[in-house]
Amino acid sequence: MAQAREYDPINNRMDQLDILTLCSPAETPLFTSAPKYRRVRSDVFEYYGDNLDDVNISTIADGRDVDGFADKTKNRTKIQQRTQKQFSAWKVSRGQQKDADPAGVTDEVSRAKMLATLELKRNMEASLCSDQEAEWVSDDLGNHMRCLGKFLDETNENIPENLRMSADAKSSTSTLSETSFRAVLQAAYEGTGNANAKFRLFAMPELQNAITGFSRTSSDTNNILQAQMLSGAREITCSVKVYNSDYGIALVVPTLFLGYKSDGTRDANAKKLGYLCNMDHLAISFNENLWNEEYPDLGGGRRGAVWVKYALINKCPKAMGKFGN
Protein backbone atom coordinates (compact mmCIF):
# COMPACT_ATOMS: atom_id res chain seq x y z
CA MET A 1 0.00 0.00 0.00
CA ALA A 2 1.40 3.32 -1.03
CA GLN A 3 2.12 5.79 1.77
CA ALA A 4 1.46 9.52 1.56
CA ARG A 5 4.62 11.61 1.58
CA GLU A 6 5.06 15.36 2.19
CA TYR A 7 7.56 17.17 -0.04
CA ASP A 8 9.26 20.53 0.53
CA PRO A 9 8.66 22.37 -2.74
CA ILE A 10 11.57 24.58 -3.76
CA ASN A 11 11.03 28.33 -4.34
CA ASN A 12 7.50 28.37 -2.96
CA ARG A 13 6.92 31.51 -0.89
CA MET A 14 6.40 30.71 2.78
CA ASP A 15 2.94 31.70 3.96
CA GLN A 16 3.29 34.74 6.23
CA LEU A 17 0.52 36.50 8.07
CA ASP A 18 0.19 40.16 7.18
CA ILE A 19 1.08 41.26 10.72
CA LEU A 20 3.91 43.43 11.96
CA THR A 21 4.09 44.17 15.68
CA LEU A 22 5.99 46.95 17.42
CA CYS A 23 7.77 45.14 20.25
CA SER A 24 9.56 47.97 22.07
CA PRO A 25 8.28 50.34 24.80
CA ALA A 26 6.79 53.41 23.15
CA GLU A 27 4.47 54.96 25.76
CA THR A 28 5.61 58.49 26.71
CA PRO A 29 3.43 59.56 29.67
CA LEU A 30 5.29 62.77 30.62
CA PHE A 31 5.52 64.07 27.05
CA THR A 32 1.87 63.19 26.44
CA SER A 33 0.40 64.65 29.64
CA ALA A 34 2.52 67.77 30.21
CA PRO A 35 0.84 71.02 29.11
CA LYS A 36 2.33 72.67 26.03
CA TYR A 37 3.52 76.23 26.64
CA ARG A 38 3.88 79.02 24.08
CA ARG A 39 6.95 79.02 21.84
CA VAL A 40 10.18 80.27 23.38
CA ARG A 41 12.22 82.35 20.96
CA SER A 42 15.75 81.93 22.28
CA ASP A 43 18.23 79.12 22.82
CA VAL A 44 18.79 80.45 26.36
CA PHE A 45 15.86 81.96 28.24
CA GLU A 46 14.78 82.83 31.77
CA TYR A 47 11.57 82.79 33.74
CA TYR A 48 10.78 84.15 37.17
CA GLY A 49 9.25 83.06 40.45
CA ASP A 50 7.82 85.41 43.10
CA ASN A 51 7.87 84.62 46.80
CA LEU A 52 5.96 86.35 49.58
CA ASP A 53 7.62 87.95 52.61
CA ASP A 54 7.68 85.96 55.83
CA VAL A 55 4.47 86.01 57.85
CA ASN A 56 4.22 89.16 59.97
CA ILE A 57 1.58 89.46 62.67
CA SER A 58 2.67 92.84 64.07
CA THR A 59 0.02 95.52 64.54
CA ILE A 60 -0.14 99.30 64.22
CA ALA A 61 -1.78 101.85 66.47
CA ASP A 62 -4.72 103.92 65.35
CA GLY A 63 -3.60 107.23 63.88
CA ARG A 64 -0.02 106.20 63.19
CA ASP A 65 1.29 106.59 59.65
CA VAL A 66 3.11 103.83 57.82
CA ASP A 67 6.81 104.65 58.03
CA GLY A 68 8.32 101.71 56.17
CA PHE A 69 7.69 100.42 52.65
CA ALA A 70 8.89 97.17 51.07
CA ASP A 71 9.88 96.40 47.50
CA LYS A 72 7.69 93.42 46.63
CA THR A 73 10.04 92.30 43.86
CA LYS A 74 12.94 91.72 46.25
CA ASN A 75 12.00 88.03 46.65
CA ARG A 76 11.74 87.47 42.91
CA THR A 77 14.23 84.94 41.56
CA LYS A 78 14.87 83.58 38.11
CA ILE A 79 15.51 80.17 36.60
CA GLN A 80 17.63 79.92 33.47
CA GLN A 81 16.86 77.21 30.94
CA ARG A 82 18.07 76.19 27.47
CA THR A 83 16.36 74.64 24.47
CA GLN A 84 17.80 71.47 22.98
CA LYS A 85 17.57 69.96 19.53
CA GLN A 86 17.10 66.25 18.81
CA PHE A 87 16.53 64.15 15.71
CA SER A 88 15.95 60.59 14.53
CA ALA A 89 17.26 59.70 11.06
CA TRP A 90 15.86 57.10 8.65
CA LYS A 91 16.90 55.52 5.34
CA VAL A 92 15.29 53.06 2.90
CA SER A 93 17.35 51.51 0.11
CA ARG A 94 15.96 51.29 -3.43
CA GLY A 95 15.79 47.52 -3.29
CA GLN A 96 14.09 47.60 0.07
CA GLN A 97 11.46 50.00 -1.25
CA LYS A 98 10.82 48.41 -4.68
CA ASP A 99 11.67 44.72 -4.44
CA ALA A 100 11.01 43.60 -0.87
CA ASP A 101 7.53 42.53 0.21
CA PRO A 102 7.64 42.03 4.00
CA ALA A 103 4.52 41.08 5.90
CA GLY A 104 2.58 43.97 7.38
CA VAL A 105 4.30 46.77 5.42
CA THR A 106 2.69 48.50 2.45
CA ASP A 107 5.24 51.33 2.16
CA GLU A 108 8.72 51.10 3.71
CA VAL A 109 9.33 54.86 3.54
CA SER A 110 6.11 55.67 5.42
CA ARG A 111 6.94 52.96 7.94
CA ALA A 112 10.46 54.35 8.42
CA LYS A 113 9.13 57.87 9.00
CA MET A 114 6.60 56.56 11.52
CA LEU A 115 9.24 54.56 13.41
CA ALA A 116 11.63 57.54 13.43
CA THR A 117 8.86 59.72 14.91
CA LEU A 118 8.09 57.15 17.61
CA GLU A 119 11.80 56.84 18.41
CA LEU A 120 12.16 60.61 18.64
CA LYS A 121 9.19 60.86 21.04
CA ARG A 122 10.72 58.08 23.14
CA ASN A 123 14.11 59.84 23.12
CA MET A 124 12.42 63.09 24.14
CA GLU A 125 10.70 61.31 27.03
CA ALA A 126 14.01 59.88 28.23
CA SER A 127 15.60 63.34 27.97
CA LEU A 128 12.76 65.09 29.80
CA CYS A 129 13.08 62.61 32.69
CA SER A 130 16.90 62.47 32.70
CA ASP A 131 19.59 64.00 34.93
CA GLN A 132 20.80 66.53 32.35
CA GLU A 133 21.73 70.01 33.53
CA ALA A 134 21.23 73.14 31.42
CA GLU A 135 24.55 73.77 29.71
CA TRP A 136 26.36 74.31 26.45
CA VAL A 137 28.04 70.98 25.66
CA SER A 138 30.02 71.41 22.43
CA ASP A 139 29.84 72.58 18.84
CA ASP A 140 28.77 69.07 17.83
CA LEU A 141 26.17 68.46 20.54
CA GLY A 142 24.92 72.00 21.18
CA ASN A 143 22.73 72.75 24.21
CA HIS A 144 21.41 70.49 26.92
CA MET A 145 18.27 71.65 28.70
CA ARG A 146 17.74 71.11 32.42
CA CYS A 147 15.60 68.02 32.84
CA LEU A 148 13.37 66.66 35.58
CA GLY A 149 16.12 64.85 37.49
CA LYS A 150 17.98 68.14 38.00
CA PHE A 151 14.89 70.24 38.65
CA LEU A 152 13.95 67.81 41.43
CA ASP A 153 17.31 67.89 43.16
CA GLU A 154 17.38 69.51 46.59
CA THR A 155 21.15 70.10 46.26
CA ASN A 156 21.11 71.78 42.83
CA GLU A 157 22.52 75.27 43.36
CA ASN A 158 21.51 76.28 39.82
CA ILE A 159 17.94 76.45 41.16
CA PRO A 160 17.31 79.45 43.46
CA GLU A 161 17.01 78.30 47.06
CA ASN A 162 13.53 79.75 47.54
CA LEU A 163 12.27 77.74 44.53
CA ARG A 164 14.29 74.56 45.15
CA MET A 165 12.67 71.25 46.04
CA SER A 166 12.65 70.61 49.79
CA ALA A 167 15.01 67.97 51.19
CA ASP A 168 11.94 66.53 52.96
CA ALA A 169 10.28 65.93 49.58
CA LYS A 170 12.62 63.03 48.83
CA SER A 171 12.26 59.41 49.96
CA SER A 172 13.97 56.08 49.35
CA THR A 173 12.02 53.46 47.41
CA SER A 174 13.95 50.63 49.07
CA THR A 175 12.53 51.53 52.50
CA LEU A 176 9.28 53.11 51.33
CA SER A 177 6.35 52.97 53.70
CA GLU A 178 2.97 54.65 53.58
CA THR A 179 4.23 57.04 56.25
CA SER A 180 7.29 58.13 54.24
CA PHE A 181 5.20 58.37 51.07
CA ARG A 182 2.78 60.71 52.83
CA ALA A 183 5.72 62.76 54.12
CA VAL A 184 6.79 63.51 50.54
CA LEU A 185 3.30 64.73 49.70
CA GLN A 186 3.31 66.85 52.85
CA ALA A 187 6.64 68.48 51.90
CA ALA A 188 5.28 69.29 48.42
CA TYR A 189 2.18 70.78 50.05
CA GLU A 190 4.28 72.92 52.39
CA GLY A 191 6.05 74.38 49.35
CA THR A 192 2.92 76.14 48.09
CA GLY A 193 0.17 75.55 50.65
CA ASN A 194 -2.11 73.94 48.06
CA ALA A 195 -3.84 70.99 49.74
CA ASN A 196 -5.90 70.30 46.61
CA ALA A 197 -2.97 69.72 44.27
CA LYS A 198 -3.38 67.07 41.59
CA PHE A 199 -0.07 65.27 41.23
CA ARG A 200 1.14 62.78 38.69
CA LEU A 201 3.69 60.37 40.06
CA PHE A 202 5.74 59.00 37.17
CA ALA A 203 6.88 55.72 38.69
CA MET A 204 9.34 53.09 37.55
CA PRO A 205 8.41 49.41 38.20
CA GLU A 206 9.97 48.90 41.65
CA LEU A 207 8.38 52.10 42.98
CA GLN A 208 5.02 51.04 41.52
CA ASN A 209 5.39 47.68 43.29
CA ALA A 210 6.22 49.40 46.58
CA ILE A 211 3.14 51.64 46.34
CA THR A 212 0.90 48.71 45.43
CA GLY A 213 2.24 47.05 48.57
CA PHE A 214 0.27 49.63 50.58
CA SER A 215 -2.89 47.68 49.69
CA ARG A 216 -1.72 44.50 51.40
CA THR A 217 -1.57 43.40 54.99
CA SER A 218 2.01 42.77 56.07
CA SER A 219 4.56 44.10 58.50
CA ASP A 220 6.38 46.17 55.86
CA THR A 221 3.35 48.08 54.57
CA ASN A 222 1.96 49.38 57.86
CA ASN A 223 -1.16 47.19 57.63
CA ILE A 224 -3.10 50.16 56.26
CA LEU A 225 -5.60 48.14 54.22
CA GLN A 226 -6.94 44.60 54.36
CA ALA A 227 -8.88 43.40 51.34
CA GLN A 228 -11.27 40.47 51.71
CA MET A 229 -12.45 38.35 48.81
CA LEU A 230 -16.21 37.68 48.78
CA SER A 231 -17.47 34.18 48.21
CA GLY A 232 -17.88 33.54 44.51
CA ALA A 233 -15.66 36.45 43.46
CA ARG A 234 -13.18 35.76 40.68
CA GLU A 235 -11.16 38.97 40.66
CA ILE A 236 -8.58 40.18 43.17
CA THR A 237 -7.65 43.86 42.93
CA CYS A 238 -4.26 44.62 44.45
CA SER A 239 -3.19 47.78 42.67
CA VAL A 240 -2.83 51.38 43.76
CA LYS A 241 -3.30 53.88 40.92
CA VAL A 242 -4.77 56.82 42.85
CA TYR A 243 -3.56 57.92 46.29
CA ASN A 244 -5.92 60.44 47.88
CA SER A 245 -4.13 62.16 50.76
CA ASP A 246 -4.64 65.10 53.10
CA TYR A 247 -2.23 67.07 50.91
CA GLY A 248 -3.50 66.32 47.42
CA ILE A 249 -4.28 63.49 45.03
CA ALA A 250 -1.46 61.55 43.41
CA LEU A 251 -2.18 59.64 40.20
CA VAL A 252 0.44 56.90 39.85
CA VAL A 253 1.57 56.66 36.20
CA PRO A 254 3.89 53.75 35.31
CA THR A 255 6.84 54.63 33.06
CA LEU A 256 10.02 52.99 31.78
CA PHE A 257 12.05 56.07 30.84
CA LEU A 258 13.45 57.53 34.08
CA GLY A 259 17.08 57.44 35.16
CA TYR A 260 19.08 58.35 32.08
CA LYS A 261 22.25 60.37 32.59
CA SER A 262 23.51 63.19 30.36
CA ASP A 263 25.92 60.79 28.60
CA GLY A 264 23.07 58.43 27.65
CA THR A 265 23.86 55.71 30.19
CA ARG A 266 21.28 54.49 32.72
CA ASP A 267 21.40 54.79 36.48
CA ALA A 268 21.88 51.38 38.12
CA ASN A 269 18.89 52.03 40.39
CA ALA A 270 16.63 53.46 37.69
CA LYS A 271 13.80 50.99 38.43
CA LYS A 272 13.40 52.59 41.88
CA LEU A 273 12.92 56.14 40.61
CA GLY A 274 9.79 58.24 40.70
CA TYR A 275 9.02 61.93 40.14
CA LEU A 276 6.04 63.50 41.87
CA CYS A 277 4.95 66.35 39.60
CA ASN A 278 2.37 69.05 40.08
CA MET A 279 1.25 69.42 36.48
CA ASP A 280 0.03 72.98 37.08
CA HIS A 281 3.70 74.00 37.30
CA LEU A 282 5.15 71.83 34.51
CA ALA A 283 5.12 72.47 30.76
CA ILE A 284 6.93 71.69 27.51
CA SER A 285 7.74 74.58 25.21
CA PHE A 286 8.52 74.00 21.54
CA ASN A 287 10.87 76.36 19.78
CA GLU A 288 10.16 74.22 16.72
CA ASN A 289 7.62 71.41 16.81
CA LEU A 290 8.27 67.96 15.33
CA TRP A 291 8.99 68.20 11.64
CA ASN A 292 10.16 65.75 8.96
CA GLU A 293 12.79 66.55 6.33
CA GLU A 294 13.66 64.35 3.36
CA TYR A 295 17.10 64.71 1.77
CA PRO A 296 18.28 64.08 -1.81
CA ASP A 297 18.71 60.46 -2.86
CA LEU A 298 22.37 60.20 -3.88
CA GLY A 299 22.03 56.62 -5.09
CA GLY A 300 21.64 54.70 -1.85
CA GLY A 301 17.90 55.25 -1.48
CA ARG A 302 15.47 57.69 0.13
CA ARG A 303 16.55 59.18 3.44
CA GLY A 304 15.56 61.82 5.93
CA ALA A 305 15.15 62.73 9.58
CA VAL A 306 12.54 63.85 12.09
CA TRP A 307 13.54 66.90 14.17
CA VAL A 308 12.40 68.82 17.24
CA LYS A 309 13.65 71.79 19.29
CA TYR A 310 12.12 72.21 22.72
CA ALA A 311 12.60 72.81 26.46
CA LEU A 312 11.12 71.71 29.76
CA ILE A 313 9.70 74.42 32.02
CA ASN A 314 9.32 73.73 35.74
CA LYS A 315 7.88 76.87 37.30
CA CYS A 316 7.94 75.70 40.92
CA PRO A 317 10.20 72.72 41.81
CA LYS A 318 9.41 73.12 45.54
CA ALA A 319 5.84 72.00 44.77
CA MET A 320 7.12 68.55 43.76
CA GLY A 321 8.91 65.49 45.12
CA LYS A 322 11.18 62.58 44.25
CA PHE A 323 11.66 58.90 45.07
CA GLY A 324 14.98 57.13 44.56
CA ASN A 325 17.34 54.43 45.79
Side-chain angles (χ1 to χ4, degrees), residues 96-312:
Q96 187 180 6
Q97 173 68 4
K98 295 181 179 180
D99 302 331
D101 185 23
V105 180
T106 57
D107 182 355
E108 285 285 10
V109 171
S110 297
R111 180 77 180 182
K113 290 179 179 179
M114 181 270 290
L115 289 175
T117 303
L118 285 177
E119 288 173 353
L120 181 58
K121 279 186 61 183
R122 181 189 62 181
N123 295 343
M124 292 171 66
E125 182 81 1
S127 290
L128 289 165
C129 300
S130 73
D131 289 338
Q132 280 185 175
E133 182 54 282
E135 61 182 349
W136 170 260
V137 182
S138 68
D139 289 338
D140 291 333
L141 299 177
N143 282 315
H144 278 176
M145 66 179 173
R146 181 179 299 108
C147 299
L148 209 49
K150 284 297 183 182
F151 271 118
L152 303 186
D153 180 354
E154 75 282 9
T155 65
N156 189 353
E157 295 183 356
N158 293 319
I159 305 293
E161 187 174 1
N162 58 1
L163 296 178
R164 202 177 302 162
M165 188 188 85
S166 167
D168 294 331
K170 182 178 180 180
S171 179
S172 168
T173 298
S174 300
T175 58
L176 186 66
S177 66
E178 194 271 338
T179 300
S180 58
F181 185 85
R182 190 172 64 248
V184 171
L185 289 170
Q186 178 182 337
Y189 156 72
E190 290 175 351
T192 60
N194 180 11
N196 298 309
K198 293 179 173 61
F199 298 101
R200 286 182 186 265
L201 173 54
F202 299 98
M204 290 287 281
E206 289 192 22
L207 175 58
Q208 175 71 74
N209 290 338
I211 296 170
T212 296
F214 296 163
S215 67
R216 304 177 184 184
T217 302
S218 66
S219 60
D220 61 350
T221 58
N222 307 303
N223 300 320
I224 67 165
L225 178 64
Q226 181 175 357
Q228 294 182 345
M229 187 175 178
L230 300 177
S231 176
R234 292 294 179 267
E235 180 179 342
I236 300 176
T237 301
C238 291
S239 176
V240 175
K241 295 294 185 184
V242 179
Y243 186 95
N244 194 341
S245 77
D246 297 325
Y247 308 112
I249 298 174
L251 176 64
V252 185
V253 182
T255 183
L256 291 171
F257 292 107
L258 307 190
Y260 283 92
K261 301 178 183 178
S262 58
D263 60 3
T265 60
R266 201 84 180 268
D267 188 284
N269 294 299
K271 289 186 178 181
K272 299 179 181 180
L273 285 175
Y275 296 133
L276 181 73
C277 298
N278 185 327
M279 303 307 287
D280 289 338
H281 299 302
L282 207 64
I284 298 173
S285 178
F286 290 96
N287 181 277
E288 296 179 70
N289 209 335
L290 276 77
W291 78 95
N292 195 301
E293 288 184 349
E294 191 163 343
Y295 307 120
D297 179 355
L298 301 179
R302 293 175 66 179
R303 57 198 184 127
V306 185
W307 295 83
V308 68
K309 189 175 181 181
Y310 69 114
L312 177 66

